[in-house]
Amino acid sequence: MTSRSVPFSVLDLSPIPTGATARDAFHRSLSLAQHAENWGFHRYWLAEHHNMTGIASAATSVLIGYIAGGTKTIRVGSGGVMLPNHAPLVIAEQFGTLESLYPGRIDLGLGRAPGSDQRTMMALRRSLHGEIDDFPQDVLELQRYFDEVTEGQHVQAVPGQGLHIPIWLLGSSLYSAQLAAKLGLPFAFASHFAPDMLHQALALYRSQFQPSAALAKPYAIVCINVIAADSERDARFLFTSMQQQFINLRRGKPGPLPAPVQDISGYWSGGEQYGVEQALRMSVVGDPTQVKSGLEALLRETQADEIMVNGQIFDHQARLRSFEIVADIKPRLSIPELIG
């Protein structure tokens, strides 16, 4: 069987562990990004969330600048900016500034969800009605701000105009897959927390894709959780932090990333266990041999063009080790050629 090369990238929510601060989280994110660059990861994305006391990446474009300024070659971007929260011109100017400072290294991933609850949406000064329906028009407006200036264009993104910053559409449903196909844009699926429609979305995106000036053929990222350690027992222990975080979120009590526990069974009810395990079923947890097997199975099933790895781990050194294991495994993966 012939193999193909698949880039591996990092998704970072800049988690704030219990007992730590946002400043700590930022320093740890930069440390992970620097290691990821040295280990050969392709890009490093940060996600916009608001009113989440365990996630420090709310001011996403500011944090992207910090990470890009502390690295040299790895692509840095948003996974993603929640466009309903922002005027397209403001995002164009922010990412135009980033691209001007770090040319050839900036990605703009766009999400359609608000990344917050309704009260937080109101605090962001966003209407609760109509904004999501404007998403396709807002994406087109952003594209115009990154294109060359046209005759009669009265509003320009300065900086931003003419920089052709890559735009990605992110999603966990068929909506963004269909829009990415229609606009000829690359697509990233958030299966690390909402895996239900993964295969259907990928099939729809690939079958309906229309080539564009941005992209000649479909390109899909699949984002998953990987918790790797030198033993399965240690990996399962580390994974309990993310499991607790999801339970707390479902209970309406989001907070800092909890410390891992030896026995998660006493923390959740049967219904909570089922819900969390369904949401996190696109997670590869285990020792290096198990992680290798899991990644190979994922690549066979999805035919992904790129894998993006998320890993919410309480201890920073353990988190670094998890990503290091993924980097060590990558050259030894047996990845089948794309079909069709």
Side-chain angles (χ1 to χ4, degrees), residues 6 73 233:
V6 174
T73 58
R233 180 179 178 180

Side-chain angles (χ1 to χ4, degrees), residues 29-72:
S29 287
L30 179 58
S31 170
L32 176 58
Q34 291 169 337
H35 280 85
E37 181 174 76
N38 291 333
W39 291 328
F41 284 89
H42 182 52
R43 62 182 97 238
Y44 195 98
W45 280 4
L46 297 138
E48 176 185 350
H49 290 80
H50 299 280
N51 195 30
M52 301 286 285
T53 54
I55 296 175
S57 51
T60 314
S61 59
V62 178
L63 188 52
I64 288 170
Y66 174 64
I67 299 298
T71 52
K72 297 178 181 179

Side-chain angles (χ1 to χ4, degrees), residues 89 141-164:
L89 176 60
E141 184 178 344
L142 257 175
Q143 286 185 305
R144 288 194 293 272
Y145 287 134
F146 293 143
D147 285 342
E148 304 301 328
V149 178
T150 59
E151 185 176 353
Q153 181 177 340
H154 299 294
V155 178
Q156 298 182 32
V158 183
Q161 206 74 49
L163 293 183
H164 303 284

Side-chain angles (χ1 to χ4, degrees), residues 10-295:
V10 177
L11 175 66
D12 182 14
L13 277 61
S14 200
I16 306 174
T18 300
T21 65
R23 178 182 175 86
D24 297 326
F26 297 147
H27 290 169
R28 291 169 186 175
S29 287
L30 179 58
S31 170
L32 176 58
Q34 291 169 337
H35 280 85
E37 181 174 76
N38 291 333
W39 291 328
F41 284 89
H42 182 52
R43 62 182 97 238
Y44 195 98
W45 280 4
L46 297 138
E48 176 185 350
H49 290 80
H50 299 280
N51 195 30
M52 301 286 285
T53 54
I55 296 175
S57 51
T60 314
S61 59
V62 178
L63 188 52
I64 288 170
Y66 174 64
I67 299 298
T71 52
K72 297 178 181 179
T73 58
I74 195 169
R75 296 193 66 87
V76 187
S78 58
V81 160
M82 300 299 110
L83 195 53
N85 297 337
H86 311 279
L89 176 60
V90 173
I91 295 302
E93 292 169 340
Q94 289 176 358
F95 279 76
T97 299
L98 289 166
E99 175 66 20
S100 298
L101 289 169
Y102 310 105
R105 294 181 55 205
I106 301 300
D107 296 327
L108 174 53
L110 301 173
R112 176 172 168 254
S116 58
D117 55 62
Q118 290 191 349
R119 290 181 179 178
T120 307
M121 287 175 64
M122 294 176 68
L124 289 164
R125 305 295 191 267
R126 304 304 289 171
S127 166
L128 298 182
H129 305 286
E131 299 298 339
I132 286 179
D133 292 335
D134 294 335
F135 184 69
Q137 289 71 35
D138 286 348
V139 173
L140 292 172
E141 184 178 344
L142 257 175
Q143 286 185 305
R144 288 194 293 272
Y145 287 134
F146 293 143
D147 285 342
E148 304 301 328
V149 178
T150 59
E151 185 176 353
Q153 181 177 340
H154 299 294
V155 178
Q156 298 182 32
V158 183
Q161 206 74 49
L163 293 183
H164 303 284
I165 297 167
I167 291 177
W168 296 71
L169 293 193
L170 284 53
S172 58
S173 69
L174 304 183
Y175 181 97
S176 293
Q178 191 168 19
L179 183 60
K182 180 179 180 180
L183 298 181
L185 294 174
F187 175 60
F189 193 89
S191 45
H192 60 296
F193 73 91
D196 289 351
M197 295 186 180
L198 169 62
H199 295 287
Q200 192 176 354
L202 291 177
L204 180 68
Y205 170 64
R206 289 163 176 158
S207 65
Q208 295 190 5
F209 183 83
Q210 299 177 25
S212 69
L215 195 63
K217 60 182 182 179
Y219 190 98
I221 289 179
V222 174
C223 184
I224 63 165
N225 305 302
V226 177
I227 308 294
D230 292 304
S231 72
E232 180 184 6
R233 180 179 178 180
D234 286 347
R236 292 287 170 191
F237 173 67
L238 296 173
F239 189 42
T240 62
S241 290
M242 187 180 296
Q243 290 171 319
Q244 292 175 79
Q245 188 178 50
F246 267 68
I247 297 167
N248 294 341
L249 184 61
R250 287 166 178 257
R251 290 174 177 172
K253 299 178 181 179
L257 183 66
V261 294
Q262 291 292 344
D263 184 7
I264 190 72
S265 63
Y267 195 81
W268 53 20
S269 67
E272 287 174 331
Q273 178 181 357
Y274 177 80
V276 171
E277 288 179 348
Q278 288 299 304
L280 296 179
R281 69 180 184 271
M282 294 298 290
S283 300
V284 179
V285 182
D287 62 27
T289 300
Q290 292 167 316
V291 171
K292 179 177 183 292
S293 177
L295 290 173

